[in-house]
Amino acid sequence: MGLVRHGQTAWNALGKIQGQTDIPLNEEGIRQAQSLARRIASEERRWDAVISSDLSRAEETARIIADTIGVRQLPGDSRLRERYFGEIEGTTAADRLKRWGDNWPLEAAGAESDESVNSRAASFIEQWKSESPNISLLVVSHGNFMASMLPLMCSTTPDEHIGNLSYSILQWNEESWMPLLYNCTAHVQNEQWH
């Protein structure tokens, strides 16, 4: 299974938390998605299908990749959505400090729990393993969601920021997931894929 974080949005560029607010890709995000799509098209590994969350920034990233590599794009899946962040959606770090102070993670209301995010991720993974284990699937989702999903799949993945258009590949080996590539953004900087 391949895991991709969507391309940049205007809110990413401003440092605003998006959560489930549906913000489209900006021009840089489109360029990033095109770079990753060209990288994937140039590689030996082949994907059978691309699926994403049902939020537009992920769906658009998935569409660019699917069109470029010539595979089908499956309908968006709400289980792959970003965490809902409640009151902090649309805020910058400065906004949060001003409104709630240093304790903003505890003071701001309405964020989706870790248990809920992990449950959505586990449900998606289990359905794929039981119904489609022979389909090589590329999943386009969101940074915080992927930071929750990756440790569920493989406990040895590092705890690090998931960058825009990061690309990871995990292989299921009957009993466990093996990371083949983790949080790679070489295509964003490398002129070869621009």
Side-chain angles (χ1 to χ4, degrees):
M1 181 181 292
L3 299 170
V4 172
R5 182 181 174 196
H6 64 79
Q8 187 185 77
T9 69
W11 279 21
N12 286 140
L14 294 170
K16 290 185 175 185
I17 290 182
Q18 294 171 113
Q20 293 187 8
T21 304
D22 201 7
I23 307 298
L25 296 179
N26 63 14
E27 286 189 28
E28 175 63 13
I30 292 168
R31 187 195 64 73
Q32 290 172 339
Q34 291 167 338
S35 294
L36 177 58
R38 284 190 285 274
R39 172 188 178 171
I40 292 170
S42 75
E43 293 178 339
E44 207 170 290
R45 175 179 293 278
R46 294 292 171 238
W47 301 100
D48 298 320
V50 180
I51 191 170
S52 70
S53 101
D54 58 351
L55 297 175
S56 63
R57 59 193 183 267
E59 284 188 319
E60 188 173 3
T61 302
R63 181 191 53 76
I64 291 167
I65 294 170
D67 288 352
T68 302
I69 67 174
V71 299
R72 63 194 162 118
Q73 180 179 358
L74 303 174
D77 190 321
S78 62
R79 292 175 296 180
L80 298 172
R81 280 184 171 200
E82 180 61 288
R83 178 190 303 266
Y84 177 66
F85 281 103
E87 289 184 325
I88 66 170
E89 289 193 14
T91 66
T92 63
D95 296 335
R96 293 187 294 277
L97 286 174
K98 183 177 178 182
R99 183 163 175 196
W100 296 288
D102 289 335
N103 238 6
W104 66 263
L106 300 174
E107 298 295 325
E112 182 179 5
S113 69
D114 289 345
E115 293 77 18
S116 174
V117 175
N118 290 344
S119 175
R120 289 193 284 120
S123 169
F124 177 82
I125 294 164
E126 290 308 311
Q127 182 179 358
W128 177 81
K129 281 180 6 190
S130 67
E131 295 177 9
S132 311
N134 297 321
I135 291 178
S136 185
L137 189 62
L138 189 61
V139 176
V140 181
S141 189
H142 307 268
N144 188 276
F145 179 83
M146 287 174 52
S148 296
M149 184 173 175
L150 283 162
L152 291 177
M153 296 174 77
C154 182
S155 61
T156 62
T157 57
D159 181 15
E160 61 188 32
H161 175 74
I162 307 292
N164 282 115
L165 251 296
S166 75
Y167 182 36
S168 300
I169 302 172
L170 286 88
Q171 182 174 316
W172 178 247
N173 293 326
E174 302 303 318
E175 293 185 15
S176 64
W177 292 94
M178 171 72 62
L180 304 179
L181 181 70
Y182 181 72
N183 200 17
C184 181
T185 56
H187 46 278
V188 175
Q189 290 87 28
N190 193 325
E191 292 294 323
Q192 171 185 351
W193 294 297
H194 291 198

